[in-house]
Amino acid sequence: MKKIYYSLILFFAVASFAVAQQVPTWRWDEAPRDVLLEKGADTIKMLLSTTDENAMLNVVKQPGTEIDILRLKMFAYKRLGTHGSVKAVPVLIEKLDIEKEGFYARYALEMIPGDEVDLALIESLKNLKRPDAVAGVLKTLGVREEYLLPGKQRNVAAKAAEAAKGYLADGYAPIRQSAAYCFALNGGDAAVEFFVNPKIDAELADSGFLLAEKFLKKGEKDKVLKIYDALAAAEIRPYQKEAAVLAGILVKGNDGIPVFVQQFASEVPREFSISLKASRELPPGLPVTKTLIEQFGKQTDSFRKSLIVRTLGERCDKESLTVSRPFVADLVKTGDAKVKLAAIHSLKKIGDASVLPVLLAAANSGDEVIAVAANDVLGSLPGKEVDAAIVGLLEKGDAKTKAAAIKLIEDRRITSAYPQLNAAMKDENAEVRQAALKAIGQTATFSDFPMLLNLLVQAKAEEVEGVLVVLKSAGTRMPQADVADAIAKRFDGVSTEAKINLLELLKEIGGIKALEIVEKTAWGNDADLQDKATALLGAWPPGQEADLARLAQVCKKLATEDGRYKSRGLRGYIRLARQFNMPEEHRLAICEDALKLSDRLDDKKLIIDVYSRWPSLTMLDKAVKYLDDAELKEAACDAAVKIAEKLQGKDKKIVDAMNKVLAVSGNNAVKDKAKIILTKQ
């Protein structure tokens, strides 16, 4: 028995080893169709990784065009385009007439180098039955010329052109189009003679453009112009004619100006637009720019005039600007509404300091649309010369001009203008003074800040609010600690009222340094300053985590004192937990401390409410803890229900909490909500 047992063990061990070591009975370059399909994912992985042309060809040779085998063939054809050689050509040629495979076979043939490929494609035209296959092969012969070896003359180009020539009059449009494409790219001078035929139709015209571009790269402009002129005269689609006219003008350069002048005179909008496009693309210099100005004077329609003005704004070369800039600037003063708006728009690109007076006049014209456009340009004109010209207006302009210039200084943030703005603060005109104050907030640097503080210290009661806005605007752009130090130094020797204003500014600036100064004041001897400082602590803005920790320490310290401001400190401490983002453990710690420090029921209820504002299962546990507290149970019930409403999902803690709420609450509305929550658990 033992012998039989050990024999069986040995048999299974040997059999397992044999299976593990079994070598496949096929290779990828010989795998049959059923194996390729069965191992579809592995076949695709192989095709994407292998460079074995035989393995790719084996897939391509498989019969059928069903979706499963066609998908594998698609990968094989794609890889043959990258790794195939002349060896693959006969197999690929055989596939051209198969409806679902021909396209993929042509893709591979387009990519494989060598004249043998072209010759095989030309020969295949004799045997193809499907019209779409013929069109595809002709297209492939053109693609190989256009993309495979750009700039090189291939030996078979003449043969490809000859083959395509026979299909140029074919009755099937796709064949005719593909033949024209192939002929244009391979036909050379013979193709030029074909495409200058005035009877050329719209189906073939696009290939004429390709032919022109090919000769343009060679520098043979006479042939290019011959083609474009013929296309412009042919009975083809309007957009094709327009493209031919435009291309001809651009090839001629300044010699094409007479042609685009004719287009300006046309009543057809599309033809008029050709002249505008040409004006933008023709070489820089005076000839085109002067022609545009001349044509502006010949137009009667204000819309067309505005288009010419906008086109002048596109010609930014130095020569053109000598005539276009003053011409366009003058139109801001004299043109109608459409022309004015176009002129202002153009000055955004071609304007300089010289156009400021007309733009300022437009900005104050009373026409809202014109004013908005002018202000937009005034705010964006580049250059230090423009900045200097704007600042200079403060010294010689009237009140209206000064106010406008100050607004520009603010918008452009011209920091060098602080002395002039400071002087404008003493202007006799109230509008100028107010504008200067506001602009200082946007332009002052830290070196100017001590002088700004003087404004606050010296401000009258009705001016304080406005000055604080300016100082906040300036101070929040500067380093927090440095600004706080500068404010602290200004406390010496000023009135209590001024110090109160400085404290208010510290709150607006924020940061630990400012907080330390306010804290120090809160523990000082001046009752008025103490009152202001403690009030500010309760309204301190959120900041960095370190600021929050420091603020919590200050408020807690104030809440532990039995003095006048204990309640204010406690409320400030509770506010941190209620309103500020912080880790949950910090929030819970503040709540626990605050409950110990509070002796008023209203404060305790505020603390319980914190739990519902920041819902979690932990916060639910904290609320449940107070369900047995006679004073706080209703507040705790309300908090527990609010937390449960906000929490997603089901949890035993929610069920237990709601059951307890039902047991202890005397508020029917709260109990009804608890019942609804339980139905969802």
Side-chain angles (χ1 to χ4, degrees):
M1 194 69 183
K2 260 186 191 180
K3 227 176 195 182
I4 294 172
Y5 176 73
Y6 286 120
S7 297
L8 285 171
I9 290 176
L10 182 61
F11 170 77
F12 284 118
V14 172
S16 299
F17 179 78
V19 170
Q21 297 299 313
Q22 186 175 11
V23 178
T25 58
W26 49 268
R27 300 185 320 191
W28 283 117
D29 59 350
E30 297 176 347
R33 186 177 190 274
D34 57 342
V35 172
L36 292 172
L37 288 171
E38 181 185 346
K39 298 183 174 295
D42 291 332
T43 304
I44 292 172
K45 288 180 183 177
M46 177 276 294
L47 289 170
L48 292 175
S49 60
T50 188
T51 58
D52 184 355
E53 187 177 13
N54 291 325
M56 302 171 203
L57 288 172
N58 180 53
V59 176
V60 167
K61 290 176 183 177
Q62 301 304 320
T65 56
E66 299 83 4
I67 187 63
D68 289 340
I69 192 66
L70 187 60
R71 181 178 60 172
L72 300 180
K73 288 184 178 184
M74 285 165 52
F75 285 101
Y77 282 123
K78 184 175 180 181
R79 294 289 286 175
L80 281 170
T82 307
H83 299 284
S85 68
V86 175
K87 175 183 176 181
V89 173
V91 178
L92 296 172
I93 292 292
E94 287 180 8
K95 301 290 184 177
L96 292 173
D97 227 3
I98 301 175
E99 184 175 359
K100 292 184 179 179
E101 286 191 58
F103 171 82
Y104 302 110
R106 285 192 294 105
Y107 174 85
L109 287 165
E110 285 173 4
M111 306 291 287
I112 298 172
D115 289 349
E116 297 89 342
V117 180
D118 300 84
L119 294 171
L121 285 165
I122 294 168
E123 187 65 24
S124 72
L125 289 168
K126 300 175 183 178
N127 304 313
L128 294 174
K129 301 292 188 294
R130 289 189 313 113
D132 286 335
V134 174
V137 168
L138 290 169
K139 188 72 175 283
T140 296
L141 285 168
V143 168
R144 286 178 61 78
E145 174 62 25
E146 187 175 6
Y147 297 110
L148 185 63
L149 298 169
K152 295 182 181 179
Q153 184 64 39
R154 293 188 296 108
N155 297 330
V156 296
K159 293 183 179 181
E162 188 64 29
K165 190 175 181 180
Y167 293 95
L168 289 171
D170 195 275
Y172 186 51
I175 289 181
R176 194 166 68 255
Q177 290 171 338
S178 296
Y181 173 70
C182 179
F183 192 56
L185 291 166
N186 289 282
D189 291 343
V192 175
E193 294 306 314
F194 173 78
F195 281 100
V196 297
N197 185 338
K199 293 184 179 179
I200 197 81
D201 63 35
E203 303 294 341
L204 310 184
D206 288 345
S207 296
F209 286 99
L210 285 175
L211 178 62
E213 289 171 11
K214 187 169 184 179
F215 277 105
L216 187 60
K217 290 177 182 176
K218 296 178 181 179
E220 299 183 43
K221 287 188 177 181
D222 54 336
K223 294 176 182 176
V224 173
L225 290 172
K226 194 175 179 182
I227 296 168
Y228 284 143
D229 289 344
L231 291 172
E235 294 299 321
I236 54 180
R237 297 185 181 99
Y239 76 85
Q240 292 173 319
K241 290 174 71 73
E242 292 158 14
V245 173
L246 176 60
I249 293 171
L250 297 179
V251 171
K252 291 174 184 175
N254 286 339
D255 292 337
I257 290 177
V259 181
F260 89 71
V261 167
Q262 294 175 7
Q263 304 298 313
F264 268 123
S266 173
E267 295 297 323
V268 181
R270 292 173 69 111
E271 292 180 3
F272 180 80
S273 70
I274 291 173
S275 58
L276 298 177
K277 291 177 183 176
S279 301
R280 291 186 178 96
E281 297 182 37
L282 279 169
L286 288 175
V288 175
T289 304
K290 284 185 174 180
T291 302
L292 281 169
I293 293 173
E294 289 170 6
Q295 293 303 310
F296 175 88
K298 294 179 181 180
Q299 300 296 324
T300 57
D301 180 70
S302 62
F303 178 67
R304 285 195 168 198
K305 283 186 171 185
S306 69
L307 293 178
I308 293 175
V309 173
R310 286 177 180 265
T311 304
L312 283 168
E314 300 290 332
R315 297 186 61 79
C316 301
D317 59 282
K318 288 184 179 180
E319 282 189 359
S320 294
L321 290 176
T322 59
V323 295
S324 64
R325 184 182 288 145
F327 176 76
V328 173
D330 191 56
L331 292 176
V332 177
K333 296 184 287 184
T334 61
D336 64 20
K338 286 180 182 176
V339 172
K340 272 186 179 180
L341 202 59
I344 292 169
H345 175 85
S346 292
L347 288 178
K348 191 170 188 176
K349 293 183 177 180
I350 65 173
D352 64 1
S354 67
V355 304
L356 284 178
V358 295
L359 288 173
L360 283 169
N364 293 302
S365 65
D367 185 316
E368 185 178 354
V369 175
I370 295 294
V372 168
N375 278 314
D376 177 57
V377 176
L378 284 166
S380 59
L381 277 180
K384 292 182 179 179
E385 299 84 0
V386 176
D387 287 346
I390 291 171
V391 174
L393 293 172
L394 292 179
E395 299 174 358
K396 54 189 178 184
D398 56 20
K400 198 171 185 180
T401 301
K402 285 180 179 179
I406 290 170
K407 181 66 170 66
L408 287 174
I409 290 170
E410 178 187 352
D411 292 343
R412 295 170 69 92
R413 298 209 171 177
I414 306 174
T415 56
S416 60
Y418 180 79
Q420 289 84 354
L421 291 175
N422 197 29
M425 289 281 295
K426 303 177 181 66
D427 194 275
E428 59 186 18
N429 184 279
E431 184 183 354
V432 172
R433 293 197 303 272
Q434 191 62 34
L437 178 63
K438 189 169 180 290
I440 283 173
Q442 294 297 324
T443 59
T445 61
F446 182 67
S447 61
D448 304 319
F449 197 71
M451 288 183 282
L452 291 182
L453 289 174
N454 289 337
L455 297 176
L456 182 60
V457 170
Q458 297 164 8
K460 297 175 183 177
E462 65 272 16
E463 298 173 336
V464 169
E465 185 176 352
V467 175
L468 276 173
V469 170
V470 172
L471 281 164
K472 179 184 177 182
S473 175
T476 50
R477 293 186 290 104
M478 302 169 189
Q480 266 188 340
D482 293 342
V483 171
D485 276 333
I487 296 171
K489 291 174 183 175
R490 201 63 187 82
F491 269 73
D492 296 336
V494 299
S495 66
T496 298
E497 186 177 352
K499 288 178 180 178
I500 288 173
N501 293 335
L502 291 171
L503 286 171
E504 186 70 44
L505 179 58
L506 283 168
K507 189 207 82 170
E508 299 296 338
I509 299 301
I512 289 181
K513 187 68 179 178
L515 183 58
E516 289 174 351
I517 298 167
V518 174
E519 178 192 5
K520 182 179 178 181
T521 307
W523 295 101
N525 298 320
D526 189 310
D528 291 334
L529 294 181
Q530 274 189 307
D531 184 63
K532 182 64 177 178
T534 52
L536 291 174
L537 290 173
W540 201 262
Q544 302 297 324
E545 189 174 340
D547 300 354
L548 188 58
R550 178 69 178 178
L551 182 59
Q553 291 175 6
V554 175
C555 289
K556 183 179 178 181
K557 180 180 177 182
L558 197 62
T560 57
E561 297 294 318
D562 290 329
R564 176 182 173 188
Y565 301 110
K566 176 178 179 178
S567 178
R568 186 176 282 180
L570 182 61
R571 286 292 179 102
Y573 196 43
I574 297 170
R575 170 178 170 264
L576 300 181
R578 284 169 61 84
Q579 297 180 10
F580 288 19
N581 281 318
M582 63 180 69
E584 188 173 67
E585 60 270 22
H586 293 178
R587 195 180 315 281
L588 289 171
I590 290 175
C591 289
E592 291 299 317
D593 288 342
L595 281 167
K596 293 174 184 175
L597 293 169
S598 61
D599 48 23
R600 295 196 309 176
L601 182 60
D602 286 346
D603 290 339
K604 292 179 180 180
K605 288 181 178 179
L606 282 175
I607 299 165
I608 298 299
D609 185 58
V610 172
Y611 300 144
S612 65
R613 284 175 171 252
W614 302 89
S616 70
L617 288 174
T618 303
M619 291 298 188
L620 181 62
D621 288 340
K622 291 296 180 181
V624 169
K625 178 181 174 182
Y626 293 95
L627 292 179
D628 296 325
D629 188 299
E631 284 187 327
L632 296 175
K633 70 176 182 180
E634 291 300 341
C637 285
D638 183 61
V641 167
K642 287 178 179 177
I643 294 169
E645 286 177 329
K646 294 173 184 176
L647 292 178
Q648 299 294 322
K650 300 178 180 181
D651 195 281
K652 185 176 181 300
K653 286 186 177 181
I654 296 176
V655 174
D656 293 343
M658 294 304 99
N659 283 326
K660 192 162 186 181
V661 167
L662 291 173
V664 303
S665 178
N667 187 320
N668 289 331
V670 171
K671 292 170 76 172
D672 288 343
K673 290 179 182 179
K675 290 174 184 177
I676 293 171
I677 293 168
L678 284 172
T679 62
K680 298 177 181 179
Q681 292 295 312

